[in-house]
Amino acid sequence: MKKQKKILGWNISLILLILMLVGCSTNSHEQSKSTPSKEKSTSVANTKTEQKDSSNKDSDSTMNKSEMGAYSSSGDNSNSKDSSLDKAEKEKPNKIGNDDLSNYSSQEIEYARVWLQVGPNQNIDELNVYRIPAGTPLNSKDETSAKYPKDVIQLAGSRLVDGSVTYSSNGNGTINVYNVPLRWDGKYPAGAKLYNDIIKNTKLVRVDTGDRKKIIQLIKIMNIH
């Protein structure tokens, strides 16, 4: 009888031990399941936070780019306006009276330069320009007069004392100056030799650019006939 009680006690103890082991195993399994869930929840929360932060950064970056673009655009417009003003100032035509010779023809400039360089009198009231075609007699009052072999220009003041310049242009910055008086004095016929010598003994002169202000002053008192 005692032996049976002893065996029964061992069986009960064994059952209790098994139940305890099963209970521990179950709790451990439930904890292992619950832990990943918490970690997963935490991971999801962190991911959402990072996405939100990234979105905020992108938004800030977009705003900064937009602001920079607006500032840059404003600066570009300002530079464009300044550039346009500078261009307008450069392209503004010069008024007559300054040192810009582009307001005048090349012929007017040539006549003024020639007179400045070889004109007998620089203090004149007006500068008269006479265009004489080739074949015109040097002295129309003398039948023995030779004729100009080329087209010539005669420059003269309003008075005899101002003198005159008669020349033909070579088209290369030089002129041939004829020693022809503004008024012929003497007895006629003078003879062909006199006139032929004048034509043969022309003086070659290289015309300088001259002073712009003086050139313009002469053009203003110039009369082209």
Side-chain angles (χ1 to χ4, degrees):
M1 188 68 180
K2 290 181 179 181
K3 187 176 180 180
Q4 290 178 351
K5 288 183 178 181
K6 188 176 181 179
I7 291 171
L8 181 61
W10 280 106
N11 289 334
I12 292 171
S13 298
L14 182 60
I15 292 169
L16 292 174
L17 180 60
I18 291 170
L19 291 174
M20 289 177 63
L21 290 175
V22 171
C24 291
S25 176
T26 302
N27 291 333
S28 176
H29 183 67
E30 289 177 355
Q31 288 179 357
S32 66
K33 286 184 178 180
S34 62
T35 299
S37 177
K38 292 181 179 179
E39 291 177 354
K40 184 176 181 181
S41 176
T42 303
S43 176
V44 171
N46 291 336
T47 301
K48 289 183 178 180
T49 302
E50 290 175 357
Q51 290 178 347
K52 184 176 182 181
D53 293 339
S54 176
S55 177
N56 290 335
K57 289 180 180 179
D58 291 341
S59 177
D60 293 340
S61 176
T62 301
M63 290 178 64
N64 290 335
K65 288 181 179 179
S66 177
E67 293 173 355
M68 290 175 65
Y71 178 80
S72 175
S73 176
S74 176
D76 290 343
N77 289 337
S78 176
N79 292 334
S80 178
K81 289 179 180 178
D82 293 340
S83 177
S84 297
L85 289 173
D86 292 341
K87 186 176 181 181
E89 286 295 325
K90 291 179 181 179
E91 294 179 351
K92 185 184 294 183
N94 292 303
K95 295 181 179 179
I96 294 177
N98 62 13
D99 294 344
D100 187 9
L101 295 179
S102 64
N103 295 302
Y104 309 100
S105 69
S106 58
Q107 289 81 9
E108 290 174 325
I109 296 171
E110 176 188 297
Y111 304 151
R113 283 174 174 170
V114 171
W115 186 263
L116 279 176
Q117 189 162 338
V118 296
N121 183 17
Q122 297 298 315
N123 297 319
I124 56 177
D125 297 328
E126 62 183 49
L127 179 60
N128 294 292
V129 180
Y130 301 95
R131 297 170 176 172
I132 303 173
T136 303
L138 276 67
N139 184 0
S140 59
K141 296 180 180 179
D142 190 349
E143 59 184 12
T144 63
S145 173
K147 299 177 180 179
Y148 288 107
K150 297 180 180 179
D151 294 341
V152 297
I153 301 295
Q154 187 175 73
L155 307 176
S158 58
R159 304 167 297 177
L160 287 175
V161 69
D162 294 333
S164 64
V165 178
T166 304
Y167 73 94
S168 62
S169 177
N170 296 317
N172 58 0
T174 64
I175 58 174
N176 299 315
V177 179
Y178 294 83
N179 187 23
V180 175
L182 182 60
R183 186 175 67 183
W184 293 89
D185 292 324
K187 295 181 180 180
Y188 308 111
K193 185 178 184 305
L194 172 66
Y195 302 108
N196 288 330
D197 288 343
I198 291 175
I199 293 174
K200 290 178 181 179
N201 298 319
T202 57
K203 182 180 180 181
L204 181 67
V205 176
R206 179 169 293 279
V207 181
D208 298 330
T209 56
D211 183 88
R212 292 186 177 185
K213 290 183 179 180
K214 291 181 179 180
I215 290 173
I216 293 172
Q217 289 173 358
L218 283 173
I219 292 175
K220 287 182 177 180
I221 61 172
M222 187 177 294
N223 296 317
I224 301 176
H225 300 276

PDB file of all heavy atoms in Angstrom, residues 167-202:
ATOM      1  N   TYR A 167      42.434 121.452-107.628  1.00  0.00           N
ATOM      2  CA  TYR A 167      43.104 120.145-107.537  1.00  0.00           C
ATOM      3  C   TYR A 167      42.244 119.046-108.158  1.00  0.00           C
ATOM      4  O   TYR A 167      41.031 119.196-108.353  1.00  0.00           O
ATOM      5  CB  TYR A 167      43.393 119.803-106.076  1.00  0.00           C
ATOM      6  CG  TYR A 167      42.164 119.422-105.276  1.00  0.00           C
ATOM      7  CD1 TYR A 167      41.778 118.084-105.129  1.00  0.00           C
ATOM      8  CD2 TYR A 167      41.365 120.395-104.683  1.00  0.00           C
ATOM      9  CE1 TYR A 167      40.657 117.725-104.411  1.00  0.00           C
ATOM     10  CE2 TYR A 167      40.233 120.056-103.966  1.00  0.00           C
ATOM     11  CZ  TYR A 167      39.883 118.706-103.821  1.00  0.00           C
ATOM     12  OH  TYR A 167      38.742 118.357-103.121  1.00  0.00           O
ATOM     13  N   SER A 168      42.910 117.940-108.459  1.00  0.00           N
ATOM     14  CA  SER A 168      42.214 116.714-108.870  1.00  0.00           C
ATOM     15  C   SER A 168      42.580 115.623-107.866  1.00  0.00           C
ATOM     16  O   SER A 168      43.727 115.576-107.387  1.00  0.00           O
ATOM     17  CB  SER A 168      42.630 116.295-110.288  1.00  0.00           C
ATOM     18  OG  SER A 168      44.018 116.015-110.340  1.00  0.00           O
ATOM     19  N   SER A 169      41.610 114.783-107.542  1.00  0.00           N
ATOM     20  CA  SER A 169      41.838 113.731-106.552  1.00  0.00           C
ATOM     21  C   SER A 169      42.318 112.448-107.224  1.00  0.00           C
ATOM     22  O   SER A 169      41.838 112.070-108.296  1.00  0.00           O
ATOM     23  CB  SER A 169      40.546 113.447-105.774  1.00  0.00           C
ATOM     24  OG  SER A 169      40.735 112.380-104.862  1.00  0.00           O
ATOM     25  N   ASN A 170      43.270 111.784-106.577  1.00  0.00           N
ATOM     26  CA  ASN A 170      43.787 110.512-107.086  1.00  0.00           C
ATOM     27  C   ASN A 170      43.065 109.306-106.480  1.00  0.00           C
ATOM     28  O   ASN A 170      43.341 108.174-106.859  1.00  0.00           O
ATOM     29  CB  ASN A 170      45.293 110.399-106.806  1.00  0.00           C
ATOM     30  CG  ASN A 170      46.081 111.456-107.551  1.00  0.00           C
ATOM     31  OD1 ASN A 170      45.817 111.731-108.730  1.00  0.00           O
ATOM     32  ND2 ASN A 170      47.052 112.071-106.884  1.00  0.00           N
ATOM     33  N   GLY A 171      42.167 109.554-105.544  1.00  0.00           N
ATOM     34  CA  GLY A 171      41.389 108.474-104.950  1.00  0.00           C
ATOM     35  C   GLY A 171      42.159 107.595-103.986  1.00  0.00           C
ATOM     36  O   GLY A 171      41.668 106.532-103.589  1.00  0.00           O
ATOM     37  N   ASN A 172      43.355 108.017-103.596  1.00  0.00           N
ATOM     38  CA  ASN A 172      44.166 107.224-102.658  1.00  0.00           C
ATOM     39  C   ASN A 172      44.705 108.049-101.490  1.00  0.00           C
ATOM     40  O   ASN A 172      45.710 107.710-100.886  1.00  0.00           O
ATOM     41  CB  ASN A 172      45.336 106.576-103.404  1.00  0.00           C
ATOM     42  CG  ASN A 172      46.235 107.608-104.093  1.00  0.00           C
ATOM     43  OD1 ASN A 172      45.983 108.812-104.018  1.00  0.00           O
ATOM     44  ND2 ASN A 172      47.275 107.135-104.777  1.00  0.00           N
ATOM     45  N   GLY A 173      44.046 109.164-101.244  1.00  0.00           N
ATOM     46  CA  GLY A 173      44.495 110.040-100.168  1.00  0.00           C
ATOM     47  C   GLY A 173      45.450 111.134-100.623  1.00  0.00           C
ATOM     48  O   GLY A 173      45.930 111.911 -99.800  1.00  0.00           O
ATOM     49  N   THR A 174      45.712 111.186-101.912  1.00  0.00           N
ATOM     50  CA  THR A 174      46.589 112.234-102.454  1.00  0.00           C
ATOM     51  C   THR A 174      45.837 113.039-103.507  1.00  0.00           C
ATOM     52  O   THR A 174      44.856 112.566-104.095  1.00  0.00           O
ATOM     53  CB  THR A 174      47.862 111.637-103.094  1.00  0.00           C
ATOM     54  OG1 THR A 174      47.493 110.833-104.227  1.00  0.00           O
ATOM     55  CG2 THR A 174      48.626 110.788-102.085  1.00  0.00           C
ATOM     56  N   ILE A 175      46.313 114.251-103.738  1.00  0.00           N
ATOM     57  CA  ILE A 175      45.704 115.125-104.747  1.00  0.00           C
ATOM     58  C   ILE A 175      46.807 115.755-105.599  1.00  0.00           C
ATOM     59  O   ILE A 175      47.970 115.847-105.176  1.00  0.00           O
ATOM     60  CB  ILE A 175      44.856 116.243-104.099  1.00  0.00           C
ATOM     61  CG1 ILE A 175      45.723 117.090-103.155  1.00  0.00           C
ATOM     62  CG2 ILE A 175      43.663 115.646-103.358  1.00  0.00           C
ATOM     63  CD1 ILE A 175      45.005 118.302-102.577  1.00  0.00           C
ATOM     64  N   ASN A 176      46.427 116.189-106.814  1.00  0.00           N
ATOM     65  CA  ASN A 176      47.331 116.941-107.687  1.00  0.00           C
ATOM     66  C   ASN A 176      46.871 118.398-107.682  1.00  0.00           C
ATOM     67  O   ASN A 176      45.753 118.700-108.125  1.00  0.00           O
ATOM     68  CB  ASN A 176      47.301 116.385-109.117  1.00  0.00           C
ATOM     69  CG  ASN A 176      47.755 114.937-109.178  1.00  0.00           C
ATOM     70  OD1 ASN A 176      48.748 114.548-108.567  1.00  0.00           O
ATOM     71  ND2 ASN A 176      47.013 114.117-109.910  1.00  0.00           N
ATOM     72  N   VAL A 177      47.702 119.277-107.164  1.00  0.00           N
ATOM     73  CA  VAL A 177      47.334 120.693-107.040  1.00  0.00           C
ATOM     74  C   VAL A 177      47.858 121.459-108.265  1.00  0.00           C
ATOM     75  O   VAL A 177      49.053 121.391-108.599  1.00  0.00           O
ATOM     76  CB  VAL A 177      47.913 121.306-105.751  1.00  0.00           C
ATOM     77  CG1 VAL A 177      47.542 122.787-105.662  1.00  0.00           C
ATOM     78  CG2 VAL A 177      47.394 120.554-104.529  1.00  0.00           C
ATOM     79  N   TYR A 178      46.934 122.185-108.927  1.00  0.00           N
ATOM     80  CA  TYR A 178      47.286 123.002-110.101  1.00  0.00           C
ATOM     81  C   TYR A 178      47.561 124.435-109.647  1.00  0.00           C
ATOM     82  O   TYR A 178      46.798 124.995-108.848  1.00  0.00           O
ATOM     83  CB  TYR A 178      46.142 123.004-111.116  1.00  0.00           C
ATOM     84  CG  TYR A 178      45.858 121.658-111.754  1.00  0.00           C
ATOM     85  CD1 TYR A 178      45.069 120.710-111.109  1.00  0.00           C
ATOM     86  CD2 TYR A 178      46.364 121.352-113.011  1.00  0.00           C
ATOM     87  CE1 TYR A 178      44.802 119.476-111.694  1.00  0.00           C
ATOM     88  CE2 TYR A 178      46.106 120.130-113.611  1.00  0.00           C
ATOM     89  CZ  TYR A 178      45.322 119.192-112.939  1.00  0.00           C
ATOM     90  OH  TYR A 178      45.073 117.984-113.527  1.00  0.00           O
ATOM     91  N   ASN A 179      48.606 125.008-110.185  1.00  0.00           N
ATOM     92  CA  ASN A 179      48.954 126.392-109.843  1.00  0.00           C
ATOM     93  C   ASN A 179      48.139 127.354-110.711  1.00  0.00           C
ATOM     94  O   ASN A 179      48.666 128.053-111.579  1.00  0.00           O
ATOM     95  CB  ASN A 179      50.458 126.614-110.035  1.00  0.00           C
ATOM     96  CG  ASN A 179      50.919 127.977-109.544  1.00  0.00           C
ATOM     97  OD1 ASN A 179      50.271 128.597-108.693  1.00  0.00           O
ATOM     98  ND2 ASN A 179      52.041 128.467-110.094  1.00  0.00           N
ATOM     99  N   VAL A 180      46.848 127.355-110.435  1.00  0.00           N
ATOM    100  CA  VAL A 180      45.927 128.178-111.217  1.00  0.00           C
ATOM    101  C   VAL A 180      45.409 129.309-110.338  1.00  0.00           C
ATOM    102  O   VAL A 180      44.897 129.066-109.235  1.00  0.00           O
ATOM    103  CB  VAL A 180      44.742 127.320-111.730  1.00  0.00           C
ATOM    104  CG1 VAL A 180      43.727 128.204-112.449  1.00  0.00           C
ATOM    105  CG2 VAL A 180      45.250 126.235-112.659  1.00  0.00           C
ATOM    106  N   PRO A 181      45.493 130.566-110.777  1.00  0.00           N
ATOM    107  CA  PRO A 181      44.985 131.681-109.979  1.00  0.00           C
ATOM    108  C   PRO A 181      43.456 131.746-110.025  1.00  0.00           C
ATOM    109  O   PRO A 181      42.828 131.220-110.950  1.00  0.00           O
ATOM    110  CB  PRO A 181      45.609 132.908-110.667  1.00  0.00           C
ATOM    111  CG  PRO A 181      45.774 132.489-112.075  1.00  0.00           C
ATOM    112  CD  PRO A 181      46.105 131.032-112.035  1.00  0.00           C
ATOM    113  N   LEU A 182      42.904 132.397-109.012  1.00  0.00           N
ATOM    114  CA  LEU A 182      41.456 132.558-108.991  1.00  0.00           C
ATOM    115  C   LEU A 182      41.008 133.520-110.091  1.00  0.00           C
ATOM    116  O   LEU A 182      39.950 133.339-110.702  1.00  0.00           O
ATOM    117  CB  LEU A 182      41.011 133.076-107.618  1.00  0.00           C
ATOM    118  CG  LEU A 182      39.513 133.264-107.413  1.00  0.00           C
ATOM    119  CD1 LEU A 182      38.759 131.944-107.593  1.00  0.00           C
ATOM    120  CD2 LEU A 182      39.223 133.851-106.034  1.00  0.00           C
ATOM    121  N   ARG A 183      41.844 134.539-110.372  1.00  0.00           N
ATOM    122  CA  ARG A 183      41.539 135.488-111.449  1.00  0.00           C
ATOM    123  C   ARG A 183      42.777 135.666-112.317  1.00  0.00           C
ATOM    124  O   ARG A 183      43.872 135.920-111.806  1.00  0.00           O
ATOM    125  CB  ARG A 183      41.110 136.832-110.868  1.00  0.00           C
ATOM    126  CG  ARG A 183      40.634 137.819-111.910  1.00  0.00           C
ATOM    127  CD  ARG A 183      40.123 139.078-111.282  1.00  0.00           C
ATOM    128  NE  ARG A 183      41.198 139.844-110.620  1.00  0.00           N
ATOM    129  CZ  ARG A 183      41.001 140.979-109.942  1.00  0.00           C
ATOM    130  NH1 ARG A 183      39.759 141.457-109.807  1.00  0.00           N
ATOM    131  NH2 ARG A 183      42.017 141.618-109.379  1.00  0.00           N
ATOM    132  N   TRP A 184      42.564 135.514-113.620  1.00  0.00           N
ATOM    133  CA  TRP A 184      43.674 135.624-114.558  1.00  0.00           C
ATOM    134  C   TRP A 184      43.919 137.103-114.901  1.00  0.00           C
ATOM    135  O   TRP A 184      43.004 137.830-115.256  1.00  0.00           O
ATOM    136  CB  TRP A 184      43.393 134.852-115.835  1.00  0.00           C
ATOM    137  CG  TRP A 184      43.335 133.346-115.619  1.00  0.00           C
ATOM    138  CD1 TRP A 184      42.245 132.625-115.298  1.00  0.00           C
ATOM    139  CD2 TRP A 184      44.424 132.455-115.725  1.00  0.00           C
ATOM    140  NE1 TRP A 184      42.571 131.300-115.189  1.00  0.00           N
ATOM    141  CE2 TRP A 184      43.912 131.155-115.450  1.00  0.00           C
ATOM    142  CE3 TRP A 184      45.795 132.592-116.031  1.00  0.00           C
ATOM    143  CZ2 TRP A 184      44.713 130.019-115.467  1.00  0.00           C
ATOM    144  CZ3 TRP A 184      46.585 131.458-116.048  1.00  0.00           C
ATOM    145  CH2 TRP A 184      46.042 130.179-115.756  1.00  0.00           C
ATOM    146  N   ASP A 185      45.180 137.527-114.787  1.00  0.00           N
ATOM    147  CA  ASP A 185      45.568 138.878-115.191  1.00  0.00           C
ATOM    148  C   ASP A 185      46.665 138.769-116.257  1.00  0.00           C
ATOM    149  O   ASP A 185      47.526 137.884-116.200  1.00  0.00           O
ATOM    150  CB  ASP A 185      46.111 139.682-113.999  1.00  0.00           C
ATOM    151  CG  ASP A 185      45.016 139.978-112.972  1.00  0.00           C
ATOM    152  OD1 ASP A 185      43.872 140.203-113.406  1.00  0.00           O
ATOM    153  OD2 ASP A 185      45.305 139.939-111.771  1.00  0.00           O
ATOM    154  N   GLY A 186      46.659 139.673-117.216  1.00  0.00           N
ATOM    155  CA  GLY A 186      47.701 139.658-118.252  1.00  0.00           C
ATOM    156  C   GLY A 186      47.121 139.885-119.630  1.00  0.00           C
ATOM    157  O   GLY A 186      45.930 140.169-119.797  1.00  0.00           O
ATOM    158  N   LYS A 187      47.963 139.734-120.591  1.00  0.00           N
ATOM    159  CA  LYS A 187      47.572 139.937-121.982  1.00  0.00           C
ATOM    160  C   LYS A 187      47.302 138.594-122.632  1.00  0.00           C
ATOM    161  O   LYS A 187      48.005 137.617-122.375  1.00  0.00           O
ATOM    162  CB  LYS A 187      48.689 140.674-122.731  1.00  0.00           C
ATOM    163  CG  LYS A 187      48.938 142.094-122.246  1.00  0.00           C
ATOM    164  CD  LYS A 187      50.036 142.767-123.065  1.00  0.00           C
ATOM    165  CE  LYS A 187      50.291 144.196-122.582  1.00  0.00           C
ATOM    166  NZ  LYS A 187      51.384 144.872-123.381  1.00  0.00           N
ATOM    167  N   TYR A 188      46.297 138.579-123.474  1.00  0.00           N
ATOM    168  CA  TYR A 188      45.929 137.334-124.168  1.00  0.00           C
ATOM    169  C   TYR A 188      45.981 137.568-125.678  1.00  0.00           C
ATOM    170  O   TYR A 188      45.706 138.707-126.139  1.00  0.00           O
ATOM    171  CB  TYR A 188      44.527 136.885-123.728  1.00  0.00           C
ATOM    172  CG  TYR A 188      44.359 136.804-122.222  1.00  0.00           C
ATOM    173  CD1 TYR A 188      43.531 137.705-121.555  1.00  0.00           C
ATOM    174  CD2 TYR A 188      45.046 135.867-121.489  1.00  0.00           C
ATOM    175  CE1 TYR A 188      43.388 137.649-120.190  1.00  0.00           C
ATOM    176  CE2 TYR A 188      44.906 135.803-120.110  1.00  0.00           C
ATOM    177  CZ  TYR A 188      44.077 136.702-119.464  1.00  0.00           C
ATOM    178  OH  TYR A 188      43.970 136.649-118.090  1.00  0.00           O
ATOM    179  N   PRO A 189      46.344 136.563-126.437  1.00  0.00           N
ATOM    180  CA  PRO A 189      46.601 135.177-125.988  1.00  0.00           C
ATOM    181  C   PRO A 189      47.956 135.036-125.290  1.00  0.00           C
ATOM    182  O   PRO A 189      48.943 135.642-125.688  1.00  0.00           O
ATOM    183  CB  PRO A 189      46.564 134.370-127.268  1.00  0.00           C
ATOM    184  CG  PRO A 189      46.971 135.316-128.336  1.00  0.00           C
ATOM    185  CD  PRO A 189      46.464 136.681-127.916  1.00  0.00           C
ATOM    186  N   ALA A 190      47.947 134.265-124.235  1.00  0.00           N
ATOM    187  CA  ALA A 190      49.161 134.056-123.449  1.00  0.00           C
ATOM    188  C   ALA A 190      50.034 132.962-124.047  1.00  0.00           C
ATOM    189  O   ALA A 190      51.230 132.880-123.748  1.00  0.00           O
ATOM    190  CB  ALA A 190      48.797 133.693-122.017  1.00  0.00           C
ATOM    191  N   GLY A 191      49.442 132.106-124.885  1.00  0.00           N
ATOM    192  CA  GLY A 191      50.226 131.043-125.497  1.00  0.00           C
ATOM    193  C   GLY A 191      49.994 129.711-124.783  1.00  0.00           C
ATOM    194  O   GLY A 191      49.812 129.648-123.559  1.00  0.00           O
ATOM    195  N   ALA A 192      50.004 128.655-125.562  1.00  0.00           N
ATOM    196  CA  ALA A 192      49.707 127.318-125.024  1.00  0.00           C
ATOM    197  C   ALA A 192      50.756 126.836-124.039  1.00  0.00           C
ATOM    198  O   ALA A 192      50.464 126.064-123.121  1.00  0.00           O
ATOM    199  CB  ALA A 192      49.585 126.331-126.184  1.00  0.00           C
ATOM    200  N   LYS A 193      52.032 127.322-124.229  1.00  0.00           N
ATOM    201  CA  LYS A 193      53.098 126.843-123.352  1.00  0.00           C
ATOM    202  C   LYS A 193      52.807 127.150-121.891  1.00  0.00           C
ATOM    203  O   LYS A 193      53.049 126.321-120.997  1.00  0.00           O
ATOM    204  CB  LYS A 193      54.428 127.476-123.767  1.00  0.00           C
ATOM    205  CG  LYS A 193      55.624 126.935-122.969  1.00  0.00           C
ATOM    206  CD  LYS A 193      56.902 127.564-123.460  1.00  0.00           C
ATOM    207  CE  LYS A 193      58.116 126.966-122.741  1.00  0.00           C
ATOM    208  NZ  LYS A 193      58.049 127.032-121.282  1.00  0.00           N
ATOM    209  N   LEU A 194      52.299 128.312-121.609  1.00  0.00           N
ATOM    210  CA  LEU A 194      52.018 128.696-120.227  1.00  0.00           C
ATOM    211  C   LEU A 194      51.049 127.717-119.573  1.00  0.00           C
ATOM    212  O   LEU A 194      51.279 127.229-118.466  1.00  0.00           O
ATOM    213  CB  LEU A 194      51.431 130.107-120.197  1.00  0.00           C
ATOM    214  CG  LEU A 194      50.900 130.576-118.833  1.00  0.00           C
ATOM    215  CD1 LEU A 194      52.037 130.720-117.841  1.00  0.00           C
ATOM    216  CD2 LEU A 194      50.153 131.906-118.983  1.00  0.00           C
ATOM    217  N   TYR A 195      50.018 127.404-120.263  1.00  0.00           N
ATOM    218  CA  TYR A 195      48.985 126.527-119.700  1.00  0.00           C
ATOM    219  C   TYR A 195      49.455 125.066-119.622  1.00  0.00           C
ATOM    220  O   TYR A 195      49.164 124.353-118.660  1.00  0.00           O
ATOM    221  CB  TYR A 195      47.715 126.637-120.527  1.00  0.00           C
ATOM    222  CG  TYR A 195      47.182 128.050-120.595  1.00  0.00           C
ATOM    223  CD1 TYR A 195      47.280 128.804-121.774  1.00  0.00           C
ATOM    224  CD2 TYR A 195      46.605 128.633-119.479  1.00  0.00           C
ATOM    225  CE1 TYR A 195      46.798 130.094-121.836  1.00  0.00           C
ATOM    226  CE2 TYR A 195      46.121 129.941-119.544  1.00  0.00           C
ATOM    227  CZ  TYR A 195      46.221 130.663-120.703  1.00  0.00           C
ATOM    228  OH  TYR A 195      45.755 131.969-120.765  1.00  0.00           O
ATOM    229  N   ASN A 196      50.210 124.668-120.638  1.00  0.00           N
ATOM    230  CA  ASN A 196      50.722 123.297-120.616  1.00  0.00           C
ATOM    231  C   ASN A 196      51.697 123.089-119.457  1.00  0.00           C
ATOM    232  O   ASN A 196      51.742 122.016-118.841  1.00  0.00           O
ATOM    233  CB  ASN A 196      51.413 122.963-121.952  1.00  0.00           C
ATOM    234  CG  ASN A 196      50.417 122.799-123.089  1.00  0.00           C
ATOM    235  OD1 ASN A 196      49.277 122.390-122.871  1.00  0.00           O
ATOM    236  ND2 ASN A 196      50.849 123.116-124.313  1.00  0.00           N
ATOM    237  N   ASP A 197      52.474 124.103-119.154  1.00  0.00           N
ATOM    238  CA  ASP A 197      53.397 124.006-118.018  1.00  0.00           C
ATOM    239  C   ASP A 197      52.632 123.862-116.694  1.00  0.00           C
ATOM    240  O   ASP A 197      53.064 123.133-115.792  1.00  0.00           O
ATOM    241  CB  ASP A 197      54.308 125.241-117.961  1.00  0.00           C
ATOM    242  CG  ASP A 197      55.363 125.245-119.075  1.00  0.00           C
ATOM    243  OD1 ASP A 197      55.581 124.162-119.662  1.00  0.00           O
ATOM    244  OD2 ASP A 197      55.933 126.321-119.338  1.00  0.00           O
ATOM    245  N   ILE A 198      51.518 124.570-116.605  1.00  0.00           N
ATOM    246  CA  ILE A 198      50.710 124.476-115.376  1.00  0.00           C
ATOM    247  C   ILE A 198      50.187 123.050-115.198  1.00  0.00           C
ATOM    248  O   ILE A 198      50.195 122.493-114.092  1.00  0.00           O
ATOM    249  CB  ILE A 198      49.538 125.479-115.425  1.00  0.00           C
ATOM    250  CG1 ILE A 198      50.072 126.924-115.336  1.00  0.00           C
ATOM    251  CG2 ILE A 198      48.552 125.207-114.283  1.00  0.00           C
ATOM    252  CD1 ILE A 198      48.994 127.975-115.491  1.00  0.00           C
ATOM    253  N   ILE A 199      49.734 122.448-116.290  1.00  0.00           N
ATOM    254  CA  ILE A 199      49.189 121.085-116.213  1.00  0.00           C
ATOM    255  C   ILE A 199      50.286 120.073-115.898  1.00  0.00           C
ATOM    256  O   ILE A 199      50.087 119.148-115.098  1.00  0.00           O
ATOM    257  CB  ILE A 199      48.486 120.726-117.546  1.00  0.00           C
ATOM    258  CG1 ILE A 199      47.247 121.593-117.721  1.00  0.00           C
ATOM    259  CG2 ILE A 199      48.124 119.245-117.575  1.00  0.00           C
ATOM    260  CD1 ILE A 199      46.567 121.420-119.058  1.00  0.00           C
ATOM    261  N   LYS A 200      51.470 120.250-116.507  1.00  0.00           N
ATOM    262  CA  LYS A 200      52.549 119.290-116.300  1.00  0.00           C
ATOM    263  C   LYS A 200      53.175 119.410-114.908  1.00  0.00           C
ATOM    264  O   LYS A 200      53.652 118.422-114.342  1.00  0.00           O
ATOM    265  CB  LYS A 200      53.640 119.493-117.357  1.00  0.00           C
ATOM    266  CG  LYS A 200      53.211 119.088-118.751  1.00  0.00           C
ATOM    267  CD  LYS A 200      54.327 119.361-119.754  1.00  0.00           C
ATOM    268  CE  LYS A 200      53.915 118.983-121.164  1.00  0.00           C
ATOM    269  NZ  LYS A 200      55.004 119.277-122.156  1.00  0.00           N
ATOM    270  N   ASN A 201      53.196 120.598-114.381  1.00  0.00           N
ATOM    271  CA  ASN A 201      53.895 120.843-113.105  1.00  0.00           C
ATOM    272  C   ASN A 201      52.923 120.905-111.916  1.00  0.00           C
ATOM    273  O   ASN A 201      52.981 121.821-111.099  1.00  0.00           O
ATOM    274  CB  ASN A 201      54.709 122.140-113.195  1.00  0.00           C
ATOM    275  CG  ASN A 201      55.792 122.073-114.252  1.00  0.00           C
ATOM    276  OD1 ASN A 201      56.464 121.049-114.384  1.00  0.00           O
ATOM    277  ND2 ASN A 201      55.954 123.153-115.016  1.00  0.00           N
ATOM    278  N   THR A 202      52.066 119.943-111.848  1.00  0.00           N
ATOM    279  CA  THR A 202      51.168 119.867-110.675  1.00  0.00           C
ATOM    280  C   THR A 202      51.964 119.387-109.455  1.00  0.00           C
ATOM    281  O   THR A 202      53.000 118.715-109.588  1.00  0.00           O
ATOM    282  CB  THR A 202      49.996 118.901-110.928  1.00  0.00           C
ATOM    283  OG1 THR A 202      50.515 117.621-111.263  1.00  0.00           O
ATOM    284  CG2 THR A 202      49.118 119.426-112.038  1.00  0.00           C
TER     285      THR A 202
END
